[in-house]
Amino acid sequence: MNSTKKLTEAALLTSLFIVITIIAIGTGIGYAAYLDFVIPVFFCIIYLKCGFKYTVLSSISSLVIVSLVLGNIGTAIWMSQSIILGILCGILLTKTTTIVDDFVYGSIVGVILMVFIDIYASALIGYSFMNEFQGYANMLHIKKYANLVYYMCIALLPMGTIFSIYCLSLFLGKKLNILKDNSKKKLYMIKNFKACGRYICCSKNVFYYCSIYIVLIEVLNIIGIKVDQTYIKTILISSEYVCFYFVIRDAFTLIQNYLILKNKKPSYIRIFSIITVLCIVFLFKITTFILIASNIILDKKINIRIKQIGLVNNYVDKLIYS
């Protein structure tokens, strides 16, 4: 009975999606915004409501019907990317992972997905967002900074997209009353970010995986092993930038929390913050490795990461069940 209900709901949502999509794309109303945000949020909601199996069936049938009706290959490629990102966010929302873990996984998968989509888009319709980003970067006329901007653009685009889809899906899911268990807890974390945001962090495994990945890429650079294939190189370096962001953010916040716990003097925090920011600007990689080492020590010494995750979970549980 439950399977029949989910199948019926998925079929109705699919029909609604097909009609809205044909109207939106066919008339050109909200073309980019619709493809980038409405479609992934829609399929994230279908996943939360109907589960993985029916969401996949819905996505395949929707993609086929819309593609045949509109006859636009570029739109079909763009839609497929948005659908996959929506399903990815739905999967992450239902997992027991932390919010930061979700953003790490989502951003890296987003980088890989966007590069593969770019391969097909450039071959079929002649458009490449990577070439467009490269053009923006080359405007700097300094190769070192041009490459930096290029890879940052590739990394930041999926990060921003995943964050937007994730949050929009949570708030819409709340309105539709379909959030349960882990997704409901994550909604309360987002809504009360001002109160518990500084304690939301990566899990140990994700922090160490990102740190190991950064060290591995840097070791390969030092010993002179280079990847010449453009797409693979883009995935590797852009993923490293994603890891850099989350590792630095996480490590910096945890050390701040430790200093507050031990000293309870705002002046110490300000001094630490100023020194760290200056070191990141002028000695970026060395500072990153020092922050990683400091976090490993804190994890070994007082299990600070596990304690912070437990603190946030207890706080959210009280909000939900009070």
Side-chain angles (χ1 to χ4, degrees), residues 251-266:
F252 179 74
T253 304
L254 260 69
I255 295 174
Q256 273 192 330
N257 292 341
Y258 178 74
L259 292 175
I260 292 172
L261 180 67
K262 294 296 290 184
N263 299 292
K264 298 180 181 179
K265 292 183 179 180

Side-chain angles (χ1 to χ4, degrees), residues 108-125:
I108 292 176
V109 172
V111 168
I112 297 170
L113 175 63
M114 293 179 76
V115 170
F116 276 103
I117 292 296
D118 187 78
I119 295 172
Y120 290 108
S122 59
L124 293 173
I125 62 176

